[in-house]
Amino acid sequence: MFFVDTLEFEGLGNRSHLAGGPGAAVVIDPPRDVDQVIAAAARRGVRIAFVAETHVHNDYVTGGLELARVTGARYLVPAGARVSFARVPVADGDTVPLDEGLALRAIATPGHTPHHTSYVLTDGGRGVAAFTGGSLLIGTVGRPDLVEPRLTEELARAQYASAHRLADELDDEVPVLPTHGFGSFCSSSQAEGDTTTIGQERRTNDALTLDVDTFVARMLDGLDDVPAYYAHMGPANAAGPAPVDLTPPGRADAEEIASRLAAGEWVVDLRSRMAFAGGHVAGSVNFEGDGKLATYLAWLIPWGKPVTLLADTPERIADAQRELARVGIDRPAAAATGDPAGWVRAGERLASFPRARFADLAGVRERGDDVVVLDVRRDSERAGGHIDGSVHIPVHELHGRLGDVPPGTVWVHCAGGMRAAIAASLLDAAGRDVVAVDDGFDAAADAGLPLISG
């Protein structure tokens, strides 16, 4: 008998897996905060005997080294990965016994990185689950452009070959259990669905249905921007991350919040975009705790800049701290909770800005009001259609390009409202008059706004 438990991390679009038998288990690609992995093993009543990395990750800080240290597990890392710590190097075809009748077999699957390795859980010698990391994903594959630009096409072709190897060596009913692909920017394209099998991928995945040249050309043409913080993740993982510290940050009063803003530090308000627009500390920025906090804050903030967190509750601060630690933002400088009126000094007032719908934007344009329409979606999204006359600056570029926004009241939009709220807060902090369009982009056409494709 075997089991496979999946731990989901929606903010980063990743998953980790705990798999094994009655007595022992392996953890594949663990998160930085290993306490929840240990708790999952405890619920199963199993010993973590192995920790396995499919590759040196580019999108988050691994907890593998710490988890192996705490549990005494053997730490399996692909032999081709250049790391600075002791580990058990794993090569293609290596097999390690896991529990009675269960074993873990390594399959070299280069493409996402040159050293990428997938692991197959075998029961009595028969493959029963494939942990494919950033290789074969649900409906797609991991992107090949995160290591070195000169290797991108070579790795794209390797991804194709690796997908075919997995399909050739495994039965149709074997579940495919990737790490990436649930909103992660490590995925070469976004796919729908939560589960898949080798057979399903054989029928639907471009890597297994197209010829290699068509597949490579299509994948390379569809690659999106790489989050800036990715540049720091690989080196941190190769060096061996330090244990995470999730003790609560010190409490900031209104004076400290003001002084940190004056020093050029970032004060991040985790409340909903509706609450933020209605009243916030002038100069603070809004990254919703329920959104893709780690991805977008780590992408936009100058690396190493101190961050102070503001939220309704201590629980929201704790959740954000945990998520940010996964991408190397280890310790908030300070935090404050409760009523936002307590976050400003006596005599000071909270700032605010209006929210609107695309129908409201259509109305002001019909009246002839001279407004700036700022589209903060990614290039690939804008190519599918954009509002005539709009200015385009992707949200991850806006902090460095505030001077490129034309003068006037800025109506900022994205595809659904979350990124527009981030952008509106950045503009508001810079002293601009802003309106946050909190609406789905489909409503732009319904409102009669003229759209242009391409």
Side-chain angles (χ1 to χ4, degrees), residues 5-133:
D5 291 339
T6 296
L7 290 78
E8 299 188 37
F9 307 99
E10 294 183 7
L12 294 176
N14 286 330
R15 294 179 174 180
S16 296
H17 305 280
L18 173 73
V26 60
V27 180
I28 310 291
D29 292 341
R32 179 87 179 279
D33 45 325
V34 300
D35 56 327
Q36 59 192 306
V37 180
I38 294 171
R43 286 192 296 270
R44 279 283 183 180
V46 296
R47 175 177 60 90
I48 297 176
F50 296 94
V51 177
E53 303 281 8
T54 56
H55 59 294
V56 175
H57 301 282
N58 289 290
D59 64 326
Y60 70 92
V61 180
T62 181
L65 184 63
E66 176 66 2
L67 183 60
R69 184 188 69 81
V70 169
T71 63
R74 297 176 68 194
Y75 192 22
L76 311 180
V77 178
R82 295 183 177 179
V83 296
S84 302
F85 48 83
R87 89 288 194 199
V88 178
V90 178
D92 184 42
D94 285 353
T95 299
V96 295
L98 183 57
D99 207 337
E100 185 174 351
L102 298 176
L104 199 67
R105 177 165 60 92
I107 299 179
T109 48
H112 188 47
T113 66
H115 60 264
H116 191 283
T117 300
S118 298
Y119 299 92
V120 176
L121 180 67
T122 63
D123 185 1
R126 178 178 61 90
V128 293
F131 303 101
T132 54

Side-chain angles (χ1 to χ4, degrees), residues 178-204:
T179 301
H180 304 313
F182 310 95
S184 168
F185 282 89
C186 274
S187 178
S188 63
S189 64
Q190 298 306 315
E192 296 181 357
D194 289 326
T195 61
T196 192
T197 62
I198 288 291
Q200 182 174 331
E201 294 308 305
R202 200 192 307 276
R203 294 187 298 271
T204 60

Side-chain angles (χ1 to χ4, degrees), residues 46-362:
V46 296
R47 175 177 60 90
I48 297 176
F50 296 94
V51 177
E53 303 281 8
T54 56
H55 59 294
V56 175
H57 301 282
N58 289 290
D59 64 326
Y60 70 92
V61 180
T62 181
L65 184 63
E66 176 66 2
L67 183 60
R69 184 188 69 81
V70 169
T71 63
R74 297 176 68 194
Y75 192 22
L76 311 180
V77 178
R82 295 183 177 179
V83 296
S84 302
F85 48 83
R87 89 288 194 199
V88 178
V90 178
D92 184 42
D94 285 353
T95 299
V96 295
L98 183 57
D99 207 337
E100 185 174 351
L102 298 176
L104 199 67
R105 177 165 60 92
I107 299 179
T109 48
H112 188 47
T113 66
H115 60 264
H116 191 283
T117 300
S118 298
Y119 299 92
V120 176
L121 180 67
T122 63
D123 185 1
R126 178 178 61 90
V128 293
F131 303 101
T132 54
S135 182
L136 186 63
L137 311 184
I138 299 178
T140 184
V141 295
R143 61 192 299 168
D145 61 329
L146 302 180
V147 177
E148 159 60 52
R150 292 171 295 181
L151 295 177
T152 296
E153 182 172 348
E154 176 186 333
L155 289 176
R157 292 181 179 275
Q159 275 291 50
Y160 183 89
S162 293
H164 279 263
R165 182 179 179 190
L166 289 168
D168 291 343
E169 294 192 12
L170 299 172
D171 295 334
D172 278 356
E173 65 270 18
V174 174
V176 175
L177 300 164
T179 301
H180 304 313
F182 310 95
S184 168
F185 282 89
C186 274
S187 178
S188 63
S189 64
Q190 298 306 315
E192 296 181 357
D194 289 326
T195 61
T196 192
T197 62
I198 288 291
Q200 182 174 331
E201 294 308 305
R202 200 192 307 276
R203 294 187 298 271
T204 60
N205 195 307
D206 281 356
L208 298 172
T209 60
L210 301 176
D211 66 86
V212 62
D213 291 331
T214 302
F215 166 77
V216 169
R218 183 175 296 182
M219 178 169 64
L220 297 185
D221 185 58
L223 292 174
D224 226 322
D225 291 335
V226 178
Y229 73 91
Y230 276 25
H232 305 280
M233 300 297 96
N237 287 325
V244 67
D245 179 3
L246 295 178
T247 57
R251 180 182 176 278
D253 60 15
E255 286 290 345
E256 182 174 352
I257 291 170
S259 70
R260 289 189 177 279
L261 282 169
E265 298 181 11
W266 278 40
V267 174
V268 174
D269 192 324
L270 302 169
R271 294 176 301 146
S272 73
R273 54 186 182 262
M274 294 77 76
F276 182 87
H280 57 270
V281 177
S284 64
V285 287
N286 181 216
F287 291 80
E288 291 180 302
D290 289 335
K292 295 180 75 67
L293 169 66
T295 294
Y296 282 104
L297 179 55
W299 197 339
L300 271 67
I301 192 170
W303 196 251
K305 180 77 72 174
V307 58
T308 294
L309 301 178
L310 310 178
D312 302 281
T313 66
E315 290 76 19
R316 176 67 73 192
I317 296 290
D319 289 344
Q321 184 178 354
R322 179 179 290 271
E323 189 168 348
L324 293 175
R326 294 172 185 156
V327 293
I329 301 177
D330 283 1
R331 292 291 301 161
T337 58
D339 186 343
W343 301 342
V344 293
R345 294 173 294 191
E348 295 180 336
R349 302 173 63 179
L350 295 171
S352 64
F353 54 76
R355 297 165 52 245
R357 302 288 187 180
F358 281 110
D360 301 313
L361 175 58

